[in-house]
Amino acid sequence: IDGVDPSLVRKKLNNYYSDKRVVALGECGLDRTRNFGERQKDIFREHLKFAIEKKLNVVIHCVKAQNEILSIVKKVNFKGKLFFHHFNGSYIEASHLVSLGHFLGVGKNVIKETKLSKYLKDIPGSNILVESDGEENLLPDIIDKVCLLKDLSREELFKNQIDNLKRAFPLIRF
């Protein structure tokens, strides 16, 4: 975001929005490990306002800033769905996001013995989206681990994922 003028964000987003393949806005959000401050928050607000205007759901990048993200979402009155990319928060954070109807991205972090792998079985399958984060070679392992933790067959997981994708990103054409 260095050198980005928050007032020009909407213009740039409009250029991308003209592409018919656009089904969501993202990845955007807040990251406490990178120049965290008002500029980051201002740009995120602009992203959300654009998403409201265009009726887009949002893919969220969140690093140690969930409360700030939810606060801004509330202040701008964003009513769409949020997809928290590569989620690795606590069970309490996950439960809160799910209670608000948002989606959690489950990727390579579930393969390791992380906190997410310990509580994933307790998160509703209707709020989980499996993702590779560009590491497609890990996708079979991620899928197998989610199936194991959720006690699902691959077929059940695939059906679940298609249903979730339709709800998370209704502009996707299947």
Side-chain angles (χ1 to χ4, degrees):
I1 63 168
D2 291 337
V4 175
D5 182 346
S7 67
L8 299 177
V9 169
R10 189 172 298 251
K11 181 179 179 191
K12 286 187 173 209
L13 291 174
N14 267 318
N15 291 338
Y16 294 116
Y17 183 72
S18 63
D19 188 320
K20 299 294 184 215
R21 296 174 293 174
V22 171
V23 297
L25 177 65
E27 169 183 351
C28 60
L30 302 175
D31 187 332
R32 284 192 167 276
T33 65
R34 299 188 187 265
N35 299 326
F36 188 76
E38 288 309 309
R39 170 171 267 174
Q40 215 181 102
K41 292 176 187 179
D42 290 342
I43 290 172
F44 181 54
R45 274 194 245 358
E46 288 302 314
H47 283 133
L48 289 175
K49 289 175 187 176
F50 182 83
I52 291 168
E53 177 185 311
K54 303 298 184 184
K55 297 177 176 52
L56 295 171
N57 288 341
V58 179
V59 178
I60 296 290
H61 175 90
C62 177
V63 178
K64 301 177 183 176
Q66 183 176 309
N67 290 337
E68 289 94 339
I69 284 176
L70 293 177
S71 174
I72 293 170
V73 164
K74 186 174 183 176
K75 283 179 185 167
V76 300
N77 202 27
F78 178 80
K79 301 290 185 198
K81 299 290 183 195
L82 302 176
F83 168 63
F84 282 77
H85 162 67
H86 200 65
F87 184 80
N88 199 29
S90 70
Y91 174 73
I92 292 170
E93 292 169 323
S95 297
H96 182 63
L97 292 173
V98 166
S99 75
L100 295 171
H102 301 310
F103 296 87
L104 309 178
V106 176
K108 67 182 178 183
N109 50 346
V110 79
I111 298 171
K112 304 170 190 167
E113 289 303 315
T114 61
K115 54 189 164 193
L116 177 64
S117 66
K118 291 178 176 51
Y119 68 73
L120 187 66
K121 67 182 179 308
D122 299 320
I123 299 299
S126 58
N127 294 81
I128 293 170
L129 286 168
V130 173
E131 61 176 315
S132 68
D133 197 21
E135 296 185 60
E136 288 78 13
N137 59 318
L138 294 178
L139 200 51
D141 294 334
I142 295 166
I143 290 168
D144 288 343
K145 185 70 175 224
V146 171
C147 286
L148 177 68
L149 294 172
K150 300 295 289 172
D151 193 25
L152 297 170
S153 69
R154 276 184 162 220
E155 292 75 23
E156 291 170 317
L157 180 65
F158 293 157
K159 182 186 179 321
N160 166 272
Q161 291 300 284
I162 289 171
D163 292 343
N164 292 354
L165 281 169
K166 287 178 180 177
R167 287 185 308 104
F169 306 109
L171 298 178
I172 292 177
R173 306 290 180 254
F174 286 90

